[in-house]
Structures are given as C-alpha cells and as structure tokens.
Amino acid sequence: MNFLLIGKPNVGKSSIFNILVGKNLNIVHDESGTTRDWHYEKIKNLENCIVFDTPGILIKNNSKKIFNINQDINKLLKKIDVFIYVVDYTSSFNDSDNFAINQLRRFNKKLLLIINKFDNYNINPNTEIHQYGITNYFLTSCTHNYGFNKLIEFIDKNSKNISIKKLNTDFSLALFGKPNVGKST
C-alpha cells in the first residue's frame, strides 16, 4: 500500500516521514522549504507499506485558490492508495487546509488526517479538527514521539488484504560531491 504525506510547508511531514520509516533520511529544519525533493521508503516493520514525503503544497490565494498538480505528480498520484494530510495543531482549522483536503477528495482515495505538533497530550484536543470532516485522524507530536503507535497500528490493520501495487521508478539519480557542499539540500 502506498501512502502520500501531503500538507502545507513546515507542518512536520519530513519529521513524520523519518519516524514512520525509522531512519533519519530527510533533513528536518524550522525553515520552511527545506524539503525540496520527493522521498519514499518502506514504513518500519510493515513490509508492503511505502510512504512518500512531499515538499509541501502551495495554495495560491489571490482571487482564486489554485491547487497545483503537475504531470509528474499526477503520475505518482495514480500509484497512491491513501493520502495522509498533515496539519499543524497550533494553527487550528483553516480555510486553506480545508480547501486542499477537499481537492484531494476529488481523487477518490482514502484520506487520513494527522494533526501534528499536539505537544500537550494531557489536554483534550480542540474540537475544530472535526470541521475537516475526516473520521480517521491522529494527534501526533514529533518532538515527543507521541501518537505514532496508533497511526502505525491503523496502517498495519488496514493494509492487510489489500493487493499490493508494484512501484516502478522511471529513473534514478545520484548526487556526488565533497562533504558540506549542499548535496542533501
């Protein structure tokens, strides 16, 4: 089963990716736009589950909202079984995330919601999260490694009895160079 982490920049998608795969493969930084490449890897301990990380979606909000998907992304979307939309708990419910979620619904794929940066798990969460209309949601904190066991259990349980799509890559690219010249960035 193929999962796509998607959401606005700086909501924690790369941190979530690293936790799900059990490796520090993606650079994590407070500066928005650090992740510029697409990454994919097997979810830790789940043989047939692959998660993709994205640089973040940008929604232009001039007079019209535009959900930009180019042809390369469109090819990938055909291979994805489940969208995992990530929002920042500290920004609560907002129109741009709601708009993006509604655009994703048009692809007729399963949709999970991760509410990240829920750092005070001793309190009840804000009820605004229900306004997104997604019943399968998970409160997480990458800082405290909270909420991921439930998410992985859900993925494991729901990925069984699903026919696995073979993931073919169109090409490979390797970057070589001296240390500290910016290859990872």
Side-chain angles (χ1 to χ4, degrees), residues 44-67:
K44 184 173 91 174
N45 300 326
L46 300 179
E47 194 61 40
N48 294 318
C49 294
I50 295 174
V51 62
F52 289 79
D53 184 24
T54 63
I57 59 169
L58 298 175
I59 300 170
K60 298 176 184 172
N61 193 3
N62 300 343
S63 59
K64 294 182 180 178
K65 292 181 179 178
I66 300 169
F67 187 72

Side-chain angles (χ1 to χ4, degrees), residues 11-12 15-16 19 116-117 119 140-146 148:
V11 294
S15 295
I16 292 168
I19 290 170
N116 194 31
K117 302 182 185 181
D119 294 328
T140 64
S141 169
C142 294
T143 305
H144 302 291
N145 200 11
Y146 168 78
F148 292 98

Side-chain angles (χ1 to χ4, degrees), residues 36-85:
R36 296 182 182 182
D37 301 315
W38 289 70
H39 302 273
Y40 68 92
E41 183 72 26
K42 179 180 75 77
I43 296 176
K44 184 173 91 174
N45 300 326
L46 300 179
E47 194 61 40
N48 294 318
C49 294
I50 295 174
V51 62
F52 289 79
D53 184 24
T54 63
I57 59 169
L58 298 175
I59 300 170
K60 298 176 184 172
N61 193 3
N62 300 343
S63 59
K64 294 182 180 178
K65 292 181 179 178
I66 300 169
F67 187 72
N68 223 357
I69 294 182
N70 65 31
Q71 286 185 337
D72 294 331
I73 297 171
N74 206 15
K75 289 178 191 175
L76 174 65
L77 291 179
K78 292 177 182 175
K79 299 175 184 177
I80 297 300
D81 300 298
V82 179
F83 291 123
I84 302 177
Y85 195 84

Side-chain angles (χ1 to χ4, degrees), residues 76-166:
L76 174 65
L77 291 179
K78 292 177 182 175
K79 299 175 184 177
I80 297 300
D81 300 298
V82 179
F83 291 123
I84 302 177
Y85 195 84
V86 182
V87 297
D88 184 336
Y89 181 77
T90 60
S91 16
S92 289
F93 177 82
N94 63 66
D95 289 332
S96 61
D97 282 325
N98 195 46
F99 175 78
I101 287 169
N102 285 330
Q103 295 303 305
L104 290 174
R105 285 185 171 114
R106 297 187 328 179
F107 290 96
N108 293 322
K109 307 228 182 226
K110 292 181 183 179
L111 186 59
L112 302 179
L113 179 66
I114 291 182
I115 301 100
N116 194 31
K117 302 182 185 181
F118 184 68
D119 294 328
N120 190 354
Y121 41 88
N122 293 320
I123 63 168
N124 289 327
N126 187 331
T127 58
E128 286 185 1
I129 59 176
H130 299 291
Q131 293 180 26
Y132 290 116
I134 299 174
T135 55
N136 295 315
Y137 65 89
F138 301 87
L139 297 161
T140 64
S141 169
C142 294
T143 305
H144 302 291
N145 200 11
Y146 168 78
F148 292 98
N149 289 338
K150 289 180 182 178
L151 174 62
I152 291 171
E153 285 173 18
F154 180 86
I155 290 172
D156 185 32
K157 180 181 171 187
N158 288 285
S159 65
K160 295 182 187 211
N161 302 326
I162 301 289
S163 62
I164 305 302
K165 297 177 185 176
K166 185 169 170 128

